[in-house]
Amino acid sequence: MAGDVDQGLPACLQLDAVEINARLNCVREVRSILESEHTRHLLLLGEPRYVERQEQALTQLLNSADKMASLAEGLQARQAELRLDLASSRPKYKAAAARVKSIKADFEAALSKHLDGRGVNLMGAINAI
């Protein structure tokens, strides 16, 4: 069929299947570029309403980014404050835990004395301290 069409053409215009497929691929590539999102944006840049909408969207994104940055700074400050609080409360916790262990030992000794010297071991959450 292709040979029938090419018969009336000069030799320089007659194409074989490989050349036709190559040109078809080039046309498809150009078409995909022209139909791409980027090209659509470029073509719409001439429309004032489109430019205004894009400006509003970008301004809104910028405001959101600024808000998130300020929130992040606030959270970092709060995190630093909590770390200081935690560091200052560790010695208090260790002292309280030591006091609880001392009271536990005293209580076990008192119970043992009350039970005629039999060994007493308290069980439960107090041992997790």
Side-chain angles (χ1 to χ4, degrees):
M1 173 100 183
D4 295 340
V5 175
D6 290 343
Q7 285 180 356
L9 296 175
C12 65
L13 295 178
Q14 292 181 7
L15 303 173
D16 63 355
V18 174
E19 292 174 2
I20 290 173
N21 283 330
R23 290 183 183 194
L24 178 63
N25 288 335
C26 288
V27 169
R28 285 181 177 153
E29 184 178 334
V30 169
R31 181 180 174 194
S32 70
I33 290 171
L34 289 174
E35 292 176 346
S36 73
E37 187 76 15
H38 181 71
T39 305
R40 188 176 68 81
H41 284 293
L42 289 175
L43 292 174
L44 288 173
L45 282 176
E47 299 290 327
R49 285 180 42 205
Y50 176 77
V51 173
E52 288 172 9
R53 281 194 311 259
Q54 291 292 31
E55 179 185 10
Q56 289 172 353
L58 291 173
T59 302
Q60 186 178 8
L61 283 174
L62 182 61
N63 291 339
S64 294
D66 290 342
K67 183 178 178 182
M68 292 297 151
S70 98
L71 286 173
E73 289 173 5
L75 288 174
Q76 287 176 345
R78 178 71 176 140
Q79 184 181 27
E81 180 183 322
L82 289 174
R83 283 188 179 158
L84 288 174
D85 287 347
L86 184 61
S88 69
S89 65
R90 275 201 180 112
K92 293 175 187 175
Y93 172 78
K94 287 183 179 180
R99 179 77 176 129
V100 166
K101 287 180 183 179
S102 171
I103 292 171
K104 175 188 173 233
D106 292 345
F107 184 70
E108 286 174 342
L111 274 177
S112 177
K113 189 176 187 183
H114 184 67
L115 297 173
D116 299 325
R118 292 178 21 212
V120 175
N121 291 315
L122 291 180
M123 297 175 63
I126 195 157
N127 292 317
I129 295 176

